[in-house]
């Protein structure tokens, strides 16, 4: 016996990849769906949070928008966090179509392999709300066919139905997907940079070509966490906001950084979270209000430098945290020792880059904690230590995306090795390169970049009997004038 389903005029037997009988999840179309079906079908939450339209109107007014001219918000890059961030805006504000248009850009053509298509189909059939949504939109059969290998699915195609390729298990609300970069950004009022830091410069250089005739200046919110090192003519650190500023000429006052403790899938599933948007006061305060939701509280902060640098540093040290967790069988003691040492190095480094850096506390500390605990960089370190990944596989991992901590290890090490940045080591009473006071960073460089040490060597960096109390490193940073304004291209 074969069971057949007829959907939107098409009839097809639903069989599995071995051509055995397959029964789809039964759906009671007369029952009330769990959750909010309309949130997924049209992007509106019917003002669940209250005051959404008022917040949108305030931002529209600030940006000089008039009736009939919608605020245009574009997400650039469709990785996990970029997709979730754009989807949250679509879910909250998407129903106000006359006042706001929200879309996301991703590169076209990336195919979904058969194993992923099969798993995606299982996710669809385990979620009644998702299954019903796809059936209503006449999209269900393409996933049946994709699972059977009868057609090719593309990443941009499934994103239109609410699935991010790096986060298949977390269905999002459907998004308006654009694969032509010029079409996506040329008239955008707000651009969300969801690209890895390693791709930010290249894509925004392309974007700048489409903005040459612009009269108004867009606002850019960068989610990227990573840095580059520029060693000549003077050593400098290049953050994603600076990359965007250089590539486009958009003033730094219009470029903001948003960071905070965020595991993308958990935030979209409405687990309580908070974040900070950092940058010029004109934009950070209204944007914090606009982005705030009942489960996602956004504060604003003026210290763009510390937050963005910490965003790159936490990815560096998260790789080591994953290694330590795997090598010590999740020893809470060992992980806490690592946490103490790595955070002291992070504090030390920020004192080189900012005269009065934001304290590693509150959301800034929480962002570090969650990344060390569960982020993709920690996952990468764990799997390297377990032997399930190897360095020859590179730092772009299928199903996870770019492991940004790897390139950041190289950037920070090279930058802090420069003799022109020498600082006084008070214990030895001599000048040393800053990296000499960061033993964990040094070891990660030896493991990941020049590959002269095995993964197990990360434990040696913790067990070195000559290593000082991490508090000492913090006191050295705070009591000595290490600030090097030239590192960010600023005048002393």
């Amino acid at each position: 016996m074969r069971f057949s389903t007829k959907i939107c005029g098409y009839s097809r037997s639903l069989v599995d990849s071995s051509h055995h009988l397959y029964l789809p999840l039964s759906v009671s179309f007369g029952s009330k769906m769990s959750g909010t079906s309309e949130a997924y079908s049209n992007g509106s939450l019917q003002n669940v949070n209250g005051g959404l339209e008022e917040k949108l109107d305030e931002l529209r007014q600030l940006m000089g928008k008039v009736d009939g001219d919608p605020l245009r918000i574009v997400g650039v890059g469709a990785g996990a966090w970029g997709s979730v961030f754009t989807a949250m805006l679509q879910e909250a504000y998407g129903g106000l179509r006359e006042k706001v248009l929200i879309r996301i850009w991703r590169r076209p053509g990336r195919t979904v392999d058969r194993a992923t298509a099969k798993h995606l189909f299982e996710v669809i059939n385990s979620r009644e709300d998702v299954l019903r949504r796809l059936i209503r939109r006449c999209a269900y059969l393409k996933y049946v066919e994709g699972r059977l290998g009868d057609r090719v699915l593309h990443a941009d195609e499934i994103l239109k139905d609410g699935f991010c390729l790096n986060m298949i298990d977390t269905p999002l609300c459907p998004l308006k997907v654009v694969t032509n970069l010029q079409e996506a950004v040329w008239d955008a009022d707000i651009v969300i940079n969801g690209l890895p830091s390693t791709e930010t410069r290249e894509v925004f250089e392309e974007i700048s070509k489409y903005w040459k005739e612009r009269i108004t200046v867009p606002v850019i919110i960068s989610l990227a966490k990573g840095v580059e090192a520029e060693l000549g003519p003077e050593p400098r650190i290049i953050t994603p906001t600076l990359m965007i500023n250089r590539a486009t000429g958009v003033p730094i006052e219009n470029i903001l950084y948003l960071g905070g403790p965020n595991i993308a899938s958990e935030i979209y599933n409405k687990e309580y979270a908070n974040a900070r948007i950092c940058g010029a006061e004109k934009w950070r305060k209204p944007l914090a209000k606009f982005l705030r939701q009942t489960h996602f509280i956004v504060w604003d902060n003026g210290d763009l430098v510390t937050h963005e640098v910490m965003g790159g540093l936490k990815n560096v040290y998260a790789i080591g945290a994953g290694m330590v967790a795997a090598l010590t069988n999740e020893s809470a003691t060992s992980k806490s020792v690592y946490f103490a040492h790595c955070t002291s190095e992070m504090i030390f480094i920020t004192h080189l880059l900012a005269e009065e850096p934001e304290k590693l506390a509150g959301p800034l500390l929480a962002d570090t904690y969650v990344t060390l605990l569960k982020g993709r960089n920690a996952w990468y370190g764990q799997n390297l230590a377990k032997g399930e990944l190897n360095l020859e596989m590179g730092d772009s991992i299928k199903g996870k995306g770019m492991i940004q901590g790897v390139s950041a290890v190289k950037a920070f090490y090279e930058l802090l090795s420069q003799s022109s940045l020498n600082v006084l080591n008070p214990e030895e009473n001599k000048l040393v390169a800053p990296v000499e006071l960061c033993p964990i960073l040094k070891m990660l460089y030896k493991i990941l970049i020049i590959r002269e040490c095995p993964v197990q060597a990360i434990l040696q960096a913790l067990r070195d009997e000559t290593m000082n109390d991490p508090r000492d490193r913090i006191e050295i940073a705070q009591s000595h004038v290490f600030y090097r304004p030239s590192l960010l291209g600023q005048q002393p």
Side-chain angles (χ1 to χ4, degrees), residues 339-450:
F339 184 78
H341 282 292
C342 79
T343 51
S344 73
E345 291 189 16
M346 293 173 70
I347 292 169
F348 172 77
I349 292 169
T350 56
H351 274 78
L352 291 166
L353 298 164
E355 190 168 13
E356 295 182 8
E358 179 84 6
K359 285 182 168 51
L360 187 57
L364 201 57
L365 180 61
D367 193 14
T368 301
Y369 173 74
V370 76
T371 305
L372 269 60
L373 190 70
K374 194 177 178 180
R376 76 179 70 177
N377 291 276
W379 171 88
Y380 180 73
Q382 280 185 314
N383 284 275
L384 281 179
K386 292 176 182 177
E388 295 175 8
L389 294 175
N390 63 72
L391 295 173
E392 302 304 323
M393 297 170 70
D395 53 4
S396 182
I397 306 298
K398 179 184 174 183
K400 287 289 182 180
M402 182 62 66
I403 309 300
Q404 298 187 70
V406 177
S407 60
V409 167
K410 183 175 186 292
F412 278 111
Y413 180 89
E414 290 180 347
L415 185 77
L416 301 180
S417 298
Q418 301 302 302
S419 59
S420 60
L421 301 176
N422 279 1
V423 298
L424 178 67
N425 182 342
E427 283 209 338
E428 301 178 6
N429 195 31
K430 69 176 184 179
L431 293 174
V432 297
V435 77
E436 295 302 321
L437 297 175
C438 302
I440 294 176
L441 176 60
K442 282 182 65 178
M443 184 57 74
L444 287 170
Y445 181 81
K446 290 178 180 179
I447 294 170
L448 297 170
I449 307 303
I450 60 176

Side-chain angles (χ1 to χ4, degrees), residues 217-441:
V217 180
V219 172
I220 300 168
I221 302 172
S222 179
L223 311 179
K225 298 174 175 68
V227 299
E228 292 180 357
E230 186 176 81
L231 304 181
E234 290 186 348
R236 293 184 64 185
I237 193 168
I238 310 298
T239 61
T241 57
L242 189 54
M243 294 176 200
I244 294 169
N245 167 255
R246 283 183 169 190
T248 63
V250 172
I252 201 70
E253 290 77 14
N254 277 49
I255 307 174
L256 302 100
Y257 165 74
L258 185 134
N262 44 51
I263 300 298
S265 60
E266 294 180 355
I267 289 179
Y268 193 75
N269 286 328
K270 304 280 191 295
E271 296 190 28
Y272 181 76
N274 51 56
R276 282 180 175 176
I277 187 163
C278 307
E281 185 172 356
K282 175 183 178 180
W283 294 114
R284 72 173 191 262
K285 289 187 177 298
L287 283 170
K289 184 177 180 181
F290 176 72
L291 297 173
R292 184 176 296 139
Q293 300 185 30
T294 54
H295 66 286
F296 185 64
I297 305 303
V298 181
W299 295 301
D300 69 280
N301 192 279
D303 190 351
L304 174 65
V305 171
T306 305
H307 284 78
E308 198 172 14
V309 169
M310 283 290 194
L313 280 172
K314 69 184 180 63
N315 288 337
V316 166
Y317 291 101
I319 296 177
M323 293 175 179
V324 170
L327 294 170
T328 63
N329 196 27
E330 298 289 343
S331 163
T333 301
S334 296
K335 289 193 291 185
S336 65
V337 169
Y338 179 85
F339 184 78
H341 282 292
C342 79
T343 51
S344 73
E345 291 189 16
M346 293 173 70
I347 292 169
F348 172 77
I349 292 169
T350 56
H351 274 78
L352 291 166
L353 298 164
E355 190 168 13
E356 295 182 8
E358 179 84 6
K359 285 182 168 51
L360 187 57
L364 201 57
L365 180 61
D367 193 14
T368 301
Y369 173 74
V370 76
T371 305
L372 269 60
L373 190 70
K374 194 177 178 180
R376 76 179 70 177
N377 291 276
W379 171 88
Y380 180 73
Q382 280 185 314
N383 284 275
L384 281 179
K386 292 176 182 177
E388 295 175 8
L389 294 175
N390 63 72
L391 295 173
E392 302 304 323
M393 297 170 70
D395 53 4
S396 182
I397 306 298
K398 179 184 174 183
K400 287 289 182 180
M402 182 62 66
I403 309 300
Q404 298 187 70
V406 177
S407 60
V409 167
K410 183 175 186 292
F412 278 111
Y413 180 89
E414 290 180 347
L415 185 77
L416 301 180
S417 298
Q418 301 302 302
S419 59
S420 60
L421 301 176
N422 279 1
V423 298
L424 178 67
N425 182 342
E427 283 209 338
E428 301 178 6
N429 195 31
K430 69 176 184 179
L431 293 174
V432 297
V435 77
E436 295 302 321
L437 297 175
C438 302
I440 294 176
L441 176 60

Side-chain angles (χ1 to χ4, degrees), residues 82-265:
S83 296
V84 163
F85 192 81
T86 305
M88 285 198 303
L89 293 178
Q90 174 65 27
E91 190 174 348
Y93 295 101
L96 303 169
R97 294 186 184 92
E98 293 183 359
K99 295 186 175 184
V100 63
L101 296 176
I102 301 168
R103 55 190 185 267
I104 190 167
W105 171 84
R106 70 152 295 132
R107 290 185 175 89
R110 184 174 178 185
T111 59
V112 180
D113 61 67
R114 187 168 177 177
T116 303
K118 179 179 179 181
H119 177 63
L120 175 57
F121 189 60
E122 293 167 356
V123 170
I124 290 167
N125 280 313
S126 69
R127 294 279 298 264
E128 182 182 348
D129 57 336
V130 177
L131 177 61
R132 179 178 300 208
R133 165 161 57 91
L134 292 176
I135 289 175
R136 183 186 297 122
R137 297 178 65 202
C138 303
Y140 182 69
L141 278 182
K142 75 179 178 185
Y143 293 98
V144 178
E145 294 172 347
R147 179 176 186 263
L148 297 174
D150 292 347
R151 76 187 298 274
V152 175
L153 290 175
H154 292 89
D156 47 297
E157 181 181 13
I158 66 173
L159 190 60
K160 292 177 182 177
D161 290 325
F163 300 99
C164 171
L165 192 57
N166 292 336
M167 207 170 50
I168 293 294
D169 292 305
T170 304
L172 309 176
C173 68
L175 292 170
K176 167 66 175 175
V177 183
V178 181
T179 56
N180 181 293
L181 186 58
Q182 181 175 8
E183 177 188 347
V185 304
W186 74 274
D187 61 348
D189 300 300
I190 298 175
V191 175
I192 299 157
N193 175 33
L195 297 161
S197 59
T198 50
E199 297 179 24
T200 293
R201 183 194 305 274
E202 175 189 353
V203 173
F204 275 87
E205 284 176 350
E206 181 71 18
I207 287 173
S208 69
K209 299 175 184 177
Y210 312 130
W211 284 351
K212 288 181 178 178
E213 305 301 322
R214 284 192 67 128
I215 298 173
T216 59
V217 180
V219 172
I220 300 168
I221 302 172
S222 179
L223 311 179
K225 298 174 175 68
V227 299
E228 292 180 357
E230 186 176 81
L231 304 181
E234 290 186 348
R236 293 184 64 185
I237 193 168
I238 310 298
T239 61
T241 57
L242 189 54
M243 294 176 200
I244 294 169
N245 167 255
R246 283 183 169 190
T248 63
V250 172
I252 201 70
E253 290 77 14
N254 277 49
I255 307 174
L256 302 100
Y257 165 74
L258 185 134
N262 44 51
I263 300 298
S265 60

